[in-house]
Amino acid sequence: MTTKHIIATATLATGVALAGIASPALAAPAFGPQGYGGITLGMSAKAAQATGKIVHKPGLDSPACSGWDLKAQRTGRDAVGLFISKKQGVAIIFAPKGAKTPQGIGIGSTNAQLKRAYANKLRTAASGFPYVAVPGNAKAHYYFLLRSGKIYEMGLALDKQDCAN
């Protein structure tokens, strides 16, 4: 019997949910280290389309990359959920609201939480935003944009992506 079945059986028998025990089926997928929402960094456009989980946003393409959204988490008219590079495949995935890294960082996390989660590994890009190598993925990094001490945008990107600067 799995943990999920034990919890369901205990809940049915007692009529009370067990606090603090989450079913693995109910846990939200982590943002990283390899990807998010069934899309992985480096995945070709063809493979990503074959998942049925993305939709193209043709008005936001560039010569090197195409703009896409996750079907389950659409962005506004002038935004994308991810970029797919013609050379490298899925190059950047932007975190939707509610997504969190395995270290618990997401949109709305504070600068202090960010510093605690990534301790001495956090770096500052030339343009001023913090970034960190992704634990568990040597070819990627997370970047974070902050306003008033809170993260308002974050992304999971290939280190050598060619879609954004």
Side-chain angles (χ1 to χ4, degrees), residues 24-120:
L26 299 177
F31 185 68
Q34 304 302 322
Y36 181 77
I39 305 299
T40 58
L41 290 175
M43 180 182 272
S44 71
K46 186 175 181 178
Q49 285 177 293
T51 68
K53 295 182 179 193
I54 62 172
V55 60
H56 187 220
K57 295 186 81 171
L60 298 172
D61 291 346
S62 72
C65 300
S66 53
W68 300 78
D69 269 346
L70 292 169
K71 282 184 181 178
Q73 292 157 319
R74 303 277 180 110
T75 61
R77 187 179 70 161
D78 295 326
V80 297
L82 59 117
F83 280 115
I84 300 178
S85 164
K86 291 178 182 176
K87 293 180 182 177
Q88 299 168 338
V90 175
I92 304 171
I93 303 171
F94 299 98
K97 191 174 182 178
K100 294 193 181 297
T101 69
Q103 293 74 27
I105 299 300
I107 305 297
S109 293
T110 66
N111 194 31
Q113 290 169 321
L114 178 62
K115 288 178 179 180
R116 274 195 305 274
Y118 296 107
N120 298 328

Side-chain angles (χ1 to χ4, degrees), residues 11 14 23 35-36 43 45 56 65 77 106 116 122 124 136 145 151 157:
T11 302
T14 64
S23 167
Y36 181 77
M43 180 182 272
H56 187 220
C65 300
R77 187 179 70 161
R116 274 195 305 274
L122 203 58
T124 302
L145 299 182
I151 296 171

